[in-house]
Amino acid sequence: MTASPRQLVLDLAHRQALGAEDFLVSNSNAAAVEMIDAWPRWPHPASFVAGPQGSGKSHLANVWRLRSGAGIVSAAELSDTLVASLPDAAAIVVEDIDRGIADEKVLFHLLNRARESKLSVLLTSRVPPGEQEFHVPDLRSRLRALPMVEVQPPDEALLKAVLVKLFDDRQLYVEPQVIDYLSVRMERSMAAASNIVADIDRLALATHRKVTRPLAAQVLAAMGESRE
């Protein structure tokens, strides 16, 4: 049997939409969305968002960044020079507190400045601060005292909505049964949804096939083999 011809596929980057209009809300992230919407009327100048990888923290932080005009830095790159350069009433996102902090004293200083200079600070982490170890005295208690919301992994309803939007962004029409099939078999994360849709798009284009349940199953099987 002659193999079906494959079309040459150009590996062009697909721009990830990270605006407020692209953020889908469900029970898993509603509390975090309410907190972002409450800015600048926060009860404390700094707030904390915790949630597992792929739950949408970075997207949510970007929504707040666009709204507040904040800068953004990973905790591993936080420096005294950066904190000192922030003007009063500025805003900043500090991401991935749990993945390493360049200098804990600098973070402590940033939280002090937030109170003294009306800075707005949004911190993100995969785990709450109470589950982390810190070397600087009082940093853990200072972080634990911040208002915190937890983002849960996307539920099935949110996954379906995300899949529909990702396919629509690529101008792919997909039957509801394909969405149903994927949503109960895939890893429950935004990153997984994005990767699956990209792989399905690539395979459909290369093999001149419509996006069907068998094609989706083929992609899931291939991704499972790669993870193993």
Side-chain angles (χ1 to χ4, degrees):
M1 179 181 293
T2 304
S4 59
R6 286 179 173 267
Q7 177 176 327
L8 175 63
V9 179
L10 299 178
D11 190 16
L12 301 178
H14 180 75
R15 185 182 63 84
Q16 186 178 11
L18 291 175
E21 68 279 5
D22 303 300
F23 193 86
L24 303 176
V25 182
S26 78
N27 291 335
S28 62
N29 58 25
V33 172
E34 288 180 9
M35 185 194 75
I36 295 300
D37 287 344
W39 185 88
R41 299 177 303 279
W42 282 357
H44 190 284
S47 294
F48 201 103
V49 176
Q53 183 174 354
S55 59
K57 296 188 305 300
S58 291
H59 190 163
L60 193 66
N62 193 67
V63 171
W64 184 74
R65 180 187 68 82
L66 294 174
R67 178 172 298 177
S68 65
I72 188 165
V73 63
S74 69
E77 297 176 341
L78 188 64
S79 68
D80 192 49
T81 300
L82 174 62
V83 173
S85 70
L86 293 171
D88 291 353
I92 187 168
V93 178
V94 182
E95 289 202 296
D96 302 325
I97 297 296
D98 59 302
R99 299 192 184 188
I101 303 171
D103 189 331
E104 292 184 4
K105 292 180 181 179
V106 173
L107 178 57
F108 194 79
H109 176 51
L110 174 63
L111 296 177
N112 287 336
R113 272 214 63 197
R115 293 191 300 181
E116 298 165 358
S117 306
K118 297 183 179 180
L119 296 178
S120 293
V121 182
L122 180 65
L123 304 115
T124 72
S125 171
R126 290 177 297 180
V127 294
E131 299 177 17
Q132 301 177 48
E133 295 295 332
F134 301 98
H135 301 292
V136 172
D138 298 329
L139 179 58
R140 185 168 182 257
S141 59
R142 179 68 60 86
L143 289 171
R144 289 186 66 181
L146 299 180
M148 186 192 76
V149 292
E150 292 194 58
V151 184
Q152 302 299 323
D155 52 33
E156 187 176 334
L158 180 55
L159 270 183
K160 287 181 178 180
V162 168
L163 287 168
V164 168
K165 184 184 185 308
L166 290 171
F167 280 120
D168 185 65
D169 287 346
R170 292 173 176 268
Q171 299 181 348
L172 290 173
Y173 173 75
V174 179
E175 295 283 354
Q177 58 264 31
V178 176
I179 300 296
D180 293 341
Y181 177 84
L182 289 170
S183 66
V184 297
R185 290 169 174 81
M186 61 180 284
E187 173 190 315
R188 290 185 176 275
S189 76
M190 302 297 189
S194 181
N195 291 336
I196 286 170
V197 170
D199 285 358
I200 287 176
D201 186 14
R202 190 176 297 112
L203 181 59
L205 181 61
T207 59
H208 303 281
R209 294 160 61 190
K210 293 182 178 180
V211 178
T212 60
R213 179 168 162 171
L215 187 143
Q218 184 177 341
V219 168
L220 285 182
M223 295 181 75
E225 290 172 1
S226 65
R227 284 195 297 268
E228 292 173 358

